[in-house]
Amino acid sequence: MDTLAESSIWWLLAGGMVVVELLTGTFYLLMLAIGLAAGAIAAHLGLGVPMQLAAAALVGGGAVLLLRLLRGKQVQPADASKNRDVNLDIGESIYVGAWQFDGTATATYRGAKWSVAVRPGVTGSSGNHRIVEVVGNRLIVEKI
């Protein structure tokens, strides 16, 4: 088979893979498309089909592994109940007057009565507290 025809097949496969990636949003398919482009370049260089397949597999597989390693090192976002980007109450202050024996209290926050609890392992004391988590309709706080 002609090297131009072989490389054209590789380029068509790479383009098809990019289209599928655009339709599905799976970024890993883009890495495989890079591998298919490496197979096309190997065909342009006049390498045989086994070397073209090896180039496509090594480059595509290597790109997928590299992407996987890089994504694994990213910081995972905090749970939504503790994430200030999701819940703007996190980090705000609240005054708690009196605590009950079970470690809960009732406090007024944003014009409404809220159930308040301290972080596990901490005893409650009256005064200003910082909201660290929202669990349902209960504010989890820590002493400021």
Side-chain angles (χ1 to χ4, degrees), residues 11-79:
W11 287 120
L12 288 171
L13 289 172
M17 187 71 74
V18 170
V19 168
V20 172
E21 189 278 329
L22 290 172
L23 292 174
T24 62
T26 307
F27 199 66
Y28 289 102
L29 291 178
L30 194 58
M31 300 298 106
L32 294 177
I34 291 171
L36 293 170
I41 292 170
H44 278 295
L45 294 174
L47 299 176
V49 174
M51 292 302 290
Q52 294 170 22
L53 290 170
L58 289 174
V59 172
V64 167
L65 288 175
L66 182 64
L67 178 64
R68 179 74 175 145
L69 289 174
L70 292 177
R71 284 196 172 181
K73 292 182 181 181
Q74 288 180 347
V75 176
Q76 297 299 321
D79 182 25

Side-chain angles (χ1 to χ4, degrees), residues 7 16 37 81 90 95-96 107 110 112 118-119 140:
S7 65
S81 65
I90 307 299
Y95 179 79
V96 180
R110 292 191 291 137
V118 292
R119 272 191 167 160
I140 309 298

